[in-house]
Amino acid sequence: MIDGTYNVSARTPLGAKAGTLVMATNGTTCDADLTIAGKTKHLVGSIDGETVTFEGSIHLPFPIGNVRYVLSGTVKGDTLSGTCRTKKFSFDVQGTRVA
């Protein structure tokens, strides 16, 4: 089961980021709220066993603009390990379930 609240961290091209990810599954769908730097983004993704995948876009400061991403991760016990990929870069995402 992947439902829960995770403390997450990532080393992005824009610097290290930390926040929380709250995930709730319903069948093969996962709703999640990702909060970083006081901003929350709602994500809707898919589940395949222990793997969750989210696709979408995020608006980054000028000169970057809108960036499409695919964020996928696997939950084993209370540990989330994943990767966020865009057209130009990718970075690892780590998390630990706290609730």
Side-chain angles (χ1 to χ4, degrees):
M1 176 167 95
I2 69 166
D3 292 16
T5 300
Y6 297 79
N7 286 337
V8 294
S9 62
R11 291 187 148 288
T12 77
L14 299 175
K17 305 291 182 189
T20 59
L21 177 67
V22 179
M23 295 193 288
T25 59
N26 183 9
T28 59
T29 301
C30 182
D31 282 298
D33 288 315
L34 176 62
T35 303
I36 295 177
K39 296 182 181 179
T40 301
K41 178 152 179 78
H42 184 73
L43 309 172
V44 177
S46 61
I47 300 289
D48 183 7
E50 297 175 327
T51 301
V52 60
T53 303
F54 302 101
E55 294 185 43
S57 65
I58 189 167
H59 184 77
L60 298 175
F62 180 81
I64 300 171
N66 284 328
V67 175
R68 298 243 354 116
Y69 65 85
V70 175
L71 172 61
S72 63
T74 302
V75 176
K76 300 239 186 233
D78 291 332
T79 302
L80 168 69
S81 299
T83 303
C84 185
R85 294 189 188 330
T86 72
K87 186 175 180 180
K88 295 187 178 188
F89 56 83
S90 68
F91 54 89
D92 292 333
V93 177
Q94 304 298 319
T96 302
R97 187 184 342 243
V98 293

